[in-house]
Amino acid sequence: MVCFIHDLRWTKSMKINGNEIRPGNVIEHGGNLWIAVKCNAVKPGKGGAFNQVELKNLLDGTKLNERFRAAETVEKVRLEQKDFTFLYEQDSVLVFMDSQSYEQLELQKDFIGDRAVFLQDGMTVTVELYENRPIGISLPDQIVLTITKADPVVKGQTAASSYKPAILENSIRILVPPFIESGERIIVDTNEIAYLRRAD
């Protein structure tokens, strides 16, 4: 799928801080091109915060787990970007439509990874291309989803004390404040897979 990058001289890049790496970003690291698959902001009790990033090599598909601290800078490779509209899923193939040319693009579900569950009909995504071949994909940072099941509040639990498990309409488990109930619509961070706030 990704054996076509042989020369990086034609790609533009920009420096970003390690804590700014997001899933779908393509970065240059150790002389290779990698796509960020998963990112997890970690704030340990001792020491500075860091971004735990699972990377996938765009040349050979190998994976790597790296810690990037906020003070570190990496080269984010800027590829051609096009907006596509998600149409539907069929047999683990995700079908998108170019928002300008209306041509269709088919991507394997594992190309997007865990975040594929956040795709919604008509959602606009940004696909990064190298020589017209898809390399990375960015979903909206925030989407609205409905809670289908939420655990009851534990007696004595306050909003500030702890969160409770809930199930979203896409079957993802998430932690929400005690006051959130089944049927409510919430805004979810698709990068951290975390509750942000109630939807208006």
Side-chain angles (χ1 to χ4, degrees):
M1 180 184 81
V2 288
C3 299
F4 45 84
I5 298 182
H6 302 292
D7 192 339
L8 305 186
R9 290 177 299 176
W10 304 107
T11 60
K12 296 179 181 178
S13 62
M14 60 180 286
K15 288 189 181 294
I16 62 171
N17 292 328
N19 61 340
E20 295 176 325
I21 300 171
R22 296 289 180 265
N25 287 170
V26 176
I27 65 170
E28 190 176 349
H29 179 63
N32 290 309
L33 275 191
W34 304 81
I35 184 167
V37 180
K38 295 179 183 176
C39 299
N40 183 29
V42 180
K43 296 176 182 176
K46 294 182 179 180
F50 59 87
N51 195 4
Q52 183 75 39
V53 183
E54 181 182 317
L55 298 168
K56 184 177 180 180
N57 191 302
L58 289 178
L59 285 175
D60 57 22
T62 56
K63 290 191 175 181
L64 180 70
N65 276 290
E66 285 282 11
R67 291 182 177 185
F68 295 94
R69 300 199 176 275
E72 292 181 68
T73 58
V74 296
E75 292 284 348
K76 179 184 176 186
V77 178
R78 299 182 64 178
L79 307 170
E80 181 187 2
Q81 294 186 332
K82 282 187 177 181
D83 285 341
F84 285 82
T85 301
F86 176 62
L87 298 179
Y88 58 89
E89 176 184 349
Q90 185 174 15
D91 300 327
S92 295
V93 174
L94 304 170
V95 182
F96 300 84
M97 183 179 68
D98 187 315
S99 301
Q100 293 184 324
S101 70
Y102 302 111
E103 292 180 2
Q104 290 191 3
L105 171 69
E106 294 184 355
L107 297 174
Q108 292 294 322
K109 196 171 182 178
D110 61 7
F111 178 83
I112 299 180
D114 294 344
R115 293 171 304 135
V117 297
F118 291 115
L119 287 170
Q120 298 172 333
D121 291 347
M123 174 184 281
T124 299
V125 301
T126 301
V127 177
E128 292 187 302
L129 304 146
Y130 181 84
E131 295 182 346
N132 291 320
R133 302 192 187 204
I135 290 293
I137 187 167
S138 298
L139 276 60
D141 290 333
Q142 301 175 8
I143 62 171
V144 177
L145 289 167
T146 301
I147 300 282
T148 56
K149 182 181 178 183
D151 287 1
V153 177
V154 177
K155 188 176 182 181
Q157 190 176 38
T158 64
S161 66
S162 60
Y163 279 30
K164 64 180 184 180
I167 307 292
L168 297 169
E169 60 184 271
N170 58 1
S171 300
I172 289 291
R173 287 179 63 87
I174 194 170
L175 293 175
V176 299
F179 56 80
I180 296 294
E181 299 176 352
S182 297
E184 289 199 63
R185 286 158 55 82
I186 65 168
I187 296 175
V188 177
D189 182 322
T190 60
N191 297 308
E192 302 290 341
I193 310 182
Y195 166 89
L196 289 177
R197 60 186 180 277
R198 275 182 170 140
D200 294 332

